Amino acid sequence: MYICICNAVTDKDIKQAVDEGANCLSHLQERLNVGRCCGACSDAAGNCMDKHMARQFDQNEILSF
Ligand code: FES
C-alpha cells in the first residue's frame, strides 16, 4: 500500500527501512524522502514505522523467553 504518493513509498519500503535501522521519521525522510514534498503522509509514515517497530519488539520479547 502506498503511504507517500509524492515519492511512491509503500509500507513495505518503510518496514524495510526499519529493519535496516531507521527508528524515527527523520531517518525515513533521509532514506526514502517520505514527507518531504507535500508532507501529507508524515503521520501515516510515522504510524507505519511505530507499528512495525512494536511488532519487532513483541517478537523479540517472545523469542527471549
Ligand atoms: S504524500 Fe508524502 S510527501 Fe506528499
Side-chain angles (χ1 to χ4, degrees):
M1 172 177 74
Y2 281 101
I3 300 293
C4 176
I5 301 300
C6 294
N7 297 299
V9 177
T10 66
D11 58 331
K12 289 181 182 177
D13 297 325
I14 291 172
K15 290 172 187 174
Q16 182 177 354
V18 170
D19 289 343
E20 293 172 355
N23 59 14
C24 64
L25 188 57
S26 63
H27 288 165
L28 292 181
Q29 290 174 328
E30 289 171 15
R31 289 170 183 245
L32 304 170
N33 279 331
V34 66
R36 284 191 164 168
C37 190
C38 73
C41 62
S42 294
D43 286 346
N47 288 337
C48 181
M49 180 182 63
D50 289 346
K51 285 180 184 175
H52 190 59
M53 289 172 67
R55 251 182 252 123
Q56 284 182 327
F57 179 79
D58 288 344
Q59 287 175 348
N60 288 339
E61 286 296 305
I62 290 169
L63 293 175
S64 69
F65 285 106

